[in-house]
Amino acid sequence: HNQGDRLLQSVARRLQECLRQSDTIVRQGGDEFIVILEDLQLPEQAGQIGAKLLETLASPYREDGYDFFLTASIGIALYPDDGDDADTLLRNADTAMYEGKSSGGNTVRFYTGRMNERLQSRVSLENGLRRALERDELQLHYQPQIDLASGRLLGAEALLRWNDGGRLIPPDQFIPVAEETGLIVPIGLWVLDTAIARAAAWRRHWQLRQGMGATPPRIAINLSARQFWGGGIAEHVLLRLEREGLPPSTIELEVTESVLLRQEADCLEELRRLREAGVGLALDDFGTGYSSLSYLRLLPIDTLKIDKSFIFPLDEDQDGEAAAIVRAILAMAHTLGHKVVAEGVERQTQLELLRAMGWDRFQGSLESRPLPPDAFLQRYCP
Ligand code: C2E
Ligand code: MG
Ligand code: MG
């Protein structure tokens, strides 16, 4: 706390040094400051001063022999265009600041009416999402995973769908909002519980149709990094499995490397516990994002899922870079003893290439798009 306070004081001093005697600086609370610039000749001047502030704030702060690096995000609202009272001006400056923050920070943004629209639609998405769980608007669809060598059905990935009053919203649109707001935690638990209950129902169904030795598809469940923060996720999964009477190997959890970006929660411990119990663990979207190879060694995974962006260009450029990367990933994964899954396989030629390389499993629209559970059963175990 003391160090933080001294840091804030240094920031305030730097702001003071940059501004005129007649300007006003206020600490709003936390790490937010308000600057009021009076008698601007031109709106652009506010932008120039903003840029100067960013630069001043960016040089390192020396505290107790350590260098601290800070960046700021600045939002600007202009009187009278962006509001003619203090509340409106502050609110709009705040909106502009958040826009800057969410695009990576360390920027100056002027408020625009369009920001307000974006904010509005974001707020209504967020509100809708808050109610989606209570109103039973979430569904899981299942996409088959096929063994390349035998053509057998091996698994099914559970993929979240939100039916917002008849409008099906794709996860790419609402999962980022769910992650930012923390709503992904209750939603993610719902996904886990629903998918595990489905795995149990399918096991009974398969055994009924094909005899006690039948193996239903293993259900793959996506987990967001945020679901690991508080701890306890392994416990939850194992308890659920036990309650449903399911062997842990009937499910697989898909995580991305981002689970390791925050060190404070002991994600690795949780993952190891799940792995030791027999739950399958897959690294999703491999090849995008950070893809630090050292994570491959650290994560106790048994399966690697290569991102669809590597599969798309595969057949157009058979001897080119895409194929070389796919081959290299396969060789690396197999050397580490992992299975490999290709996602987004849309064309037969892509499939043939993967087969020739010795790839293990695939999913994609070539076999089937994600299906509602009834349609899945109808197709794979009528
Ligand atoms: P993902 O886990 O990498 O899922 C694969 C995505 O590829 C799915 O998109 C799937 O529908 C899509 N896909 C499958 N085959 C093809 C194909 O042949 N061509 C093309 N173009 N796309 C194909 P979807 O269902 O829109 O999900 C997008 C992402 O949302 C998922 O990517 C995952 O990151 C996230 N997500 C989905 N459900 C959940 C969930 O329950 N929890 C969490 N945390 N994330 C989820
Ligand atoms: Mg996935
Ligand atoms: Mg993926």
Side-chain angles (χ1 to χ4, degrees), residues 71-183:
T71 57
S73 299
I74 300 178
I76 300 175
L78 296 166
Y79 170 87
D81 291 359
D82 302 332
D84 51 13
D85 59 70
D87 278 347
T88 314
L89 282 168
L90 278 178
R91 197 172 55 241
N92 290 342
D94 216 36
T95 301
M97 181 192 72
Y98 274 106
E99 280 268 330
K101 263 192 196 222
S102 63
S103 67
N106 200 19
T107 55
V108 180
R109 284 290 162 92
F110 280 92
Y111 172 78
T112 66
R114 290 256 311 286
M115 283 179 184
N116 225 351
E117 270 165 43
R118 266 202 300 277
L119 194 78
Q120 275 307 322
S121 66
R122 177 54 229 223
V123 167
S124 70
L125 185 77
E126 192 182 318
N127 286 336
L129 199 53
R130 276 183 203 286
R131 290 190 309 262
L133 263 180
E134 308 156 18
R135 292 189 182 172
D136 213 16
E137 294 173 342
L138 297 178
Q139 303 166 357
L140 288 178
H141 285 192
Y142 294 85
Q143 184 171 45
Q145 255 180 32
I146 305 293
D147 178 45
L148 255 162
S150 67
R152 269 188 47 224
L153 172 72
L154 283 188
E157 179 176 7
L159 292 159
L160 196 54
R161 301 289 178 261
W162 175 18
N163 187 338
D164 182 21
R167 202 165 48 113
L168 221 52
I169 305 180
D172 287 337
Q173 271 178 36
F174 67 85
I175 288 196
V177 176
E179 305 229 7
E180 273 172 52
T181 53
L183 279 169

Side-chain angles (χ1 to χ4, degrees), residues 21 58 60 62 78 86 103 107 112 116 137 154-155 164 190 193 212 216 246 268 281 286 288 291 294 299 308 317 372:
Q21 201 64 42
R62 204 147 191 120
L78 296 166
S103 67
T107 55
T112 66
N116 225 351
E137 294 173 342
L154 283 188
D164 182 21
W190 177 87
D193 296 353
M212 289 312 277
L246 281 175
L268 273 182
L281 282 186
F286 184 73
T288 63
S291 286
S294 60
L299 283 166
K308 47 185 175 292
D317 182 24

Side-chain angles (χ1 to χ4, degrees), residues 139-141 143 157-161 170-176 179 184 187-188 190-192 221-225 227 254 256 284-285 305-308 312 343-347 350 363-370:
Q139 303 166 357
L140 288 178
H141 285 192
Q143 184 171 45
E157 179 176 7
L159 292 159
L160 196 54
R161 301 289 178 261
D172 287 337
Q173 271 178 36
F174 67 85
I175 288 196
E179 305 229 7
I184 193 70
I187 290 177
W190 177 87
V191 169
L192 266 175
I221 305 165
N222 292 286
L223 285 189
S224 140
Q227 292 179 261
E254 296 191 1
T256 59
D284 202 356
D285 302 338
K305 290 188 86 171
I306 188 176
D307 190 66
K308 47 185 175 292
F312 290 155
E343 51 180 32
V345 178
E346 298 180 345
R347 292 182 292 275
Q350 293 166 332
Q363 56 186 96
S365 60
L366 179 65
E367 169 69 23
S368 167
R369 297 225 142 255

